[in-house]
């Protein structure tokens, strides 16, 4: 099963990708997580990406294409994957098609997470992440057992640099301008399924299981 999760920032793509990864045993490939690790490790690629990420702009395509292209070539991605945050524009979607074609593979389904802007602001302003294991929390909807501390590895939780209200609004604009054309791109190929991402995390997960062919 090769899936793409498409949706605005804060729609819950990462939260659900982790659950699906555990449920179906296929890897989550999250371009944002990969880039954040490159920034923390101060690799040349991370240093190049940081300024774009802090502003809420898309990182140049050559950077993300190289990262994701390499990741898709790894053994564990042979049986399937969940692409979370990639592709983000039509160029990236075409690059992805080329990579998969070389592997004799193709995308099975593109899931569009539909959610409104007010909900996004509430979700992202309360989000906390673990810089070690990438676990995602929310101060109200999914608090850690101990405030400010990751349940899994006890690391101090952080607020993402791009989760300020001003940057969230800019990321939302970038999504509409550059990423939302992918809705039509994949609809025309008959690959698009839209889900209600305003629902609770459990309800969204049930919708995803149904998309993947499991009964609710
Ligand atoms: P990226 O990390 O991909 O960020 P994003 O797409 O903006 O998405 P988010 O991670 O903000 O949200 P999400 O949908 O995963 O929501 P989450 O599950 O965390 O990208 C960051 C940056 O990297 C980009 O701005 C860009 O600069 C760069 N980048 C990345 N990929 C790129 C690419 N391909 N090309 C170029 N640049 C790229 O949930 C959010 C919060 O809501 C959490 O607190 C969660 O607990 C809570 N929540 C989740 N589901 C629910 C629910 N159902 N009900 C209530 N709360 C919920």
């Amino acid at each position: 099963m090769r899936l793409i999760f498409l949706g605005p920032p804060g729609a819950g793509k990462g939260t659900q990708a982790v659950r699906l990864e555990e449920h179906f045993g296929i890897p989550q490939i999250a371009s944002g997580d990969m880039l954040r690790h490159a920034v923390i490790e101060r690799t040349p690629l991370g240093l190049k990406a940081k300024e774009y990420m802090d502003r809420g702009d898309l990182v140049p395509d050559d950077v993300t294409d190289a990262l994701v292209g390499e990741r898709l070539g790894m053994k564990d991605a042979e049986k399937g994957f969940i692409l979370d945050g990639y592709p983000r524009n039509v160029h990236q979607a075409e690059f992805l098609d080329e990579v998969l074609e070389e592997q004799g593979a193709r995308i099975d389904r593109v899931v569009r997470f539909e959610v409104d802007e007010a909900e996004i602001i509430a979700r992202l302003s309360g989000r906390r992440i673990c810089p070690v294991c990438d676990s995602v929390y929310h101060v109200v909807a999914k608090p850690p057992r101990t405030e400010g501390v990751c349940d899994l590895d006890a690391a101090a939780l952080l607020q993402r640099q791009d989760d300020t209200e001003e940057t969230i609004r800019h990321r939302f604009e970038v999504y509409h301008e550059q990423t939302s054309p992918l809705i039509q791109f994949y609809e025309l190929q008959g690959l698009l399924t839209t889900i209600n991402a305003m629902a609770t995390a459990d309800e969204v997960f049930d919708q995803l299981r149904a998309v993947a062919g499991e009964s609710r």
Side-chain angles (χ1 to χ4, degrees):
M1 190 167 38
R2 296 179 182 84
L3 298 176
I4 293 175
F5 281 2
L6 184 65
K13 306 179 297 294
T15 299
Q16 297 297 334
V18 169
R19 290 182 72 159
L20 235 62
E21 175 177 59
E22 281 168 15
H23 189 77
F24 288 112
I26 52 172
Q28 170 202 26
I29 299 182
S31 47
D33 287 346
M34 290 158 80
L35 287 165
R36 273 184 293 281
H37 283 290
V39 169
I40 290 169
E41 287 156 19
R42 300 179 64 82
T43 66
L45 190 147
L47 293 174
K48 184 172 174 185
K50 186 177 180 340
E51 59 177 298
Y52 294 91
M53 297 176 76
D54 286 350
R55 283 199 306 264
D57 284 325
L58 294 188
V59 169
D61 290 335
D62 61 327
V63 174
T64 46
D65 290 351
L67 267 182
V68 175
E70 190 185 338
R71 181 67 186 84
L72 287 171
M74 292 183 186
K75 185 88 187 142
D76 66 339
E78 276 175 13
K79 59 186 172 181
F81 50 75
I82 307 151
L83 273 174
D84 163 14
Y86 185 97
R88 282 285 231 277
N89 57 32
V90 171
H91 161 85
Q92 294 181 9
E94 289 170 349
F95 176 80
L96 175 64
D97 283 345
E98 284 167 28
V99 172
L100 293 180
E101 202 177 314
E102 279 169 22
Q103 298 177 354
R106 67 187 300 276
I107 293 296
D108 296 307
R109 194 116 297 266
V110 178
V111 183
R112 174 189 174 203
F113 286 57
E114 202 169 37
V115 59
D116 69 37
E117 190 174 348
E119 174 70 11
I120 284 172
I121 303 277
R123 286 186 186 181
L124 292 185
S125 39
R127 174 165 63 183
R128 301 292 181 271
I129 60 160
C130 173
V132 176
C133 70
D134 299 319
S135 290
V136 176
Y137 299 88
H138 188 277
V139 290
V140 177
K142 193 185 173 223
R145 283 194 293 270
T146 306
E147 192 184 334
V149 177
C150 180
D151 292 345
L152 301 183
D153 52 33
L157 300 181
L158 303 176
Q159 187 160 19
R160 269 173 47 175
Q161 293 239 347
D162 57 352
D163 276 351
T164 60
E165 187 161 339
E166 193 188 343
T167 313
I168 293 168
R169 289 199 192 281
H170 182 62
R171 286 159 63 202
F172 203 68
E173 282 165 20
V174 169
Y175 173 77
H176 280 296
E177 283 164 18
Q178 300 185 48
T179 307
S180 67
L182 290 177
I183 295 169
Q184 197 190 13
F185 181 89
Y186 286 120
E187 201 161 32
L188 288 172
Q189 297 179 41
L191 290 175
L192 194 78
T193 300
T194 298
I195 61 163
N196 171 20
M198 296 286 285
T200 66
D202 285 345
E203 288 164 351
V204 175
F205 184 61
D206 284 344
Q207 293 178 66
L208 289 168
R209 283 179 44 227
V211 170
E214 283 193 358
S215 55
R216 293 197 197 190

